[in-house]
Amino acid sequence: MTVDKKKARKDAAIDKKYGTRGTEKKGAVKKGLPKSGAVKKGVAKKGKAKKEPEKVEKVHFQTATHKDSEKVQKVLARAGKGSRREMETMISEGRVSIDGKVAFLGDRIIGTEQIRLDGHHVKLTAPDEDICRILIYNKPEGEMCTRKDPEGRPTVFDRLPKLDAGRWVAVGRLDINTSGMLLFTTDGELANRLMHPSQKIEREYAVRVFGEINEAMLQRLRAGVELEDGPARFQKITYRGGEGRNHWFHVVLSEGRNREVRRLWESQEVQVSRLIRVRYGDMEMQRQLPLGGWRELALKEVNYYRKLVSLTPEVESKVKVDEKTMDNAKSRRIRRSVKKHQQRHQQSTRRRHK
């Protein structure tokens, strides 16, 4: 027997005893199964095809990147349920559900889901199905900027026109003793952007102050003073006349903090006796519009505000061409309507207190 044959036999004995794992050699096919008939991966021994388990794709709303999806707070705001900020608060409180599951901030939807707010079904509309509407309302003193006042006082929503779908959203607030221009829109996203401090949209107020005024005070108000919630200042102050210790000024701000105009003047130890908002952005309130009256903006005016906050322009309007201008007859009709509304409210208040 040659040396090569002896070596081959020795290697075969070692392989038989210890196997071929870890070596470059291929193990022999098990007895009774030809090499060509070895069981393939995914095929059962009896020759039946083994069913591969289906991969379940778990869609996470927060990371969904569907090109047609939108954040749920944006969709709810467009449906007229409030501003986006209000919707975010409701979502955080667990008051919104998507297909029966509690929604979370950042969840996205494509519009086929069942959305519920406080258990009530929300009718969703596509962005191109809604027509953005904006009203200018001449708020009187004594009205609350809330939908319902627990003390029964009149609110700014009492006389607004009824909507078939959605609701009116107030763009900011005016306190009970402040009158003048207040915007309402059916587009919650537009309202949210118009209110946001980052947009720096100018608001102009006519203000009557009581007290001694000097140039040093006005310079401090222009330069900035420290209030409880941070520094604040008027961008512009224009004197409009007065007599005695009563003086009228027009002041301009680019934010809408609570009672900011009053607090700025009070920091100089003078009191505000009248406050009227007369401008929002570049649009002024018409003088013919009576207290308690409203006017709906035409398409060009709506698109001015939408462009101001980088939203796409509208192509339709609910306002008819012949209703764009306010004549004296229409102004008188509004005054009569406001007077009747006030009388009805006074009568109901008297009955309630009897």
Side-chain angles (χ1 to χ4, degrees), residues 124-283:
L124 303 183
T125 55
D128 55 354
E129 290 180 5
D130 283 339
I131 296 177
C132 176
R133 300 173 66 179
I134 304 177
L135 298 180
I136 288 180
Y137 179 69
N138 191 357
K139 176 191 176 298
E141 293 181 10
E143 286 189 355
M144 301 291 293
C145 284
T146 182
R147 293 189 182 275
K148 194 172 183 180
D149 182 63
E151 298 179 22
R153 290 171 293 187
T155 77
V156 294
F157 291 93
D158 290 344
R159 293 198 61 256
L160 299 186
K162 303 297 181 184
L163 294 170
D164 295 330
R167 67 175 186 171
W168 293 112
V169 180
V171 180
R173 293 170 177 265
L174 295 176
D175 65 51
I176 191 169
N177 295 320
T178 302
S179 61
M181 183 176 180
L182 188 60
L183 293 176
F184 291 87
T185 178
T186 55
D187 188 337
E189 174 65 14
L190 174 63
N192 187 51
R193 293 197 188 190
L194 287 172
M195 287 185 282
H196 204 279
S198 64
Q199 300 292 339
K200 298 187 182 299
I201 298 174
E202 288 187 351
R203 291 94 154 157
E204 184 175 343
Y205 297 83
V207 52
R208 187 180 69 189
V209 294
F210 178 76
E212 295 295 333
I213 308 294
N214 56 49
E215 188 58 33
M217 286 182 183
L218 301 181
Q219 286 298 335
R220 286 194 292 270
L221 291 172
R222 291 189 187 102
V225 297
E226 192 69 30
L227 300 178
E228 307 86 41
D229 52 355
R233 71 183 186 92
F234 290 129
Q235 291 182 315
K236 190 177 180 181
I237 305 175
T238 307
Y239 183 61
R240 290 297 179 92
E243 51 186 41
R245 301 188 70 188
N246 287 303
H247 303 275
W248 280 96
F249 293 88
H250 274 222
V251 297
V252 176
L253 288 170
S254 60
E255 57 183 0
R257 281 191 263 169
N258 184 38
R259 299 185 71 254
E260 189 171 4
V261 175
R262 295 179 186 275
R263 289 187 293 142
L264 276 166
W265 284 105
E266 287 168 2
S267 72
Q268 305 306 304
E269 298 183 353
V270 292
Q271 295 296 317
V272 173
S273 55
R274 286 287 304 280
L275 185 59
I276 308 166
R277 184 152 71 187
V278 296
R279 178 169 66 88
Y280 203 103
D282 289 340
M283 195 171 297

